[in-house]
Amino acid sequence: MARYTAVARALHWAIAVLILLNLALGFAHDAFPKDWAVMPVHKSIGLTILALTLLRIVWRLVHPAPRLPAAMPLWEKGAAHATHFLFYALMLILPLSGWIMTSAGTRPLNWFFLFDVPKFGVGKEDAIVGLSRGAHELLPWLWAALIAIHVSAALRHHLVLKDDVLRRML
């Protein structure tokens, strides 16, 4: 069985956990007490996702993914490739849109309260800030739907089709 490399698997699962945590924090941040500093942690996790994603892209370029099973229908291979492309796009767009939004505000941007992160030179009136805000409010819902599809497809492969698709990433 062809598997992803240990580094690819570690990056996959680390990023997956961080994404799920950040989606939960983003969707429910108003429910937490104000003194819990949920949004600074949310921003720090987003920056971590961005950095790990860049590392993952470089790793993937140097270490290609194993081929999908030959018996898999073409439509399913296309859907898998499209879903993975959208995941990579969201792993870049959502953290960048949050960084742009934060850059237009007055609150500091730091990484887990350890060091300051530079802000982009944008103002609240800039079109890119409005676009970023819209993306940052809408795209997490798409991401949650894609995660549900991705997990369902992986479980289908493992439990119904009984192939090695899921095991390649475990």
Side-chain angles (χ1 to χ4, degrees):
M1 165 183 61
R3 294 183 72 188
Y4 285 88
T5 65
V7 171
R9 292 191 314 267
L11 288 169
H12 173 275
W13 292 108
I15 292 170
V17 168
L18 291 172
I19 288 169
L20 292 173
L21 177 59
N22 232 22
L23 284 173
L25 290 175
F27 286 140
H29 70 275
D30 287 334
F32 291 99
K34 297 290 180 205
D35 60 340
W36 279 23
V38 170
M39 289 316 292
V41 171
H42 174 80
K43 293 172 189 178
S44 295
I45 293 171
L47 292 168
T48 304
I49 291 168
L50 179 60
L52 290 176
T53 298
L54 294 172
L55 178 62
R56 186 172 179 183
I57 289 169
V58 170
W59 187 264
R60 177 102 182 240
L61 290 172
V62 178
H63 302 87
R67 291 181 181 252
L68 292 169
M72 186 182 288
L74 278 177
W75 72 266
E76 198 171 343
K77 288 180 181 179
H81 291 307
T83 301
H84 286 115
F85 175 81
L86 285 171
F87 271 133
Y88 278 100
L90 291 170
M91 289 186 293
L92 295 170
I93 292 168
L94 274 163
L96 284 171
S97 65
W99 193 351
I100 291 167
M101 286 173 24
T102 299
S103 295
T106 58
R107 292 192 175 103
L109 179 60
N110 58 57
W111 189 73
F112 293 108
F113 309 102
L114 297 174
F115 59 84
D116 289 337
V117 175
K119 290 183 170 187
F120 296 112
V122 295
K124 289 184 182 196
E125 70 287 344
D126 292 337
I128 188 76
V129 174
L131 183 63
S132 293
R133 185 173 314 289
H136 210 76
E137 291 173 358
L138 176 65
L139 291 178
W141 295 101
L142 171 62
W143 212 350
L146 280 175
I147 290 167
I149 291 167
H150 183 68
V151 170
S152 297
L155 291 174
R156 175 181 167 263
H157 279 280
H158 190 69
L159 300 172
V160 176
L161 301 177
K162 299 188 185 311
D163 61 22
D164 290 331
V165 170
L166 177 60
R167 282 188 215 98
R168 299 173 337 149
M169 190 52 82
L170 293 176

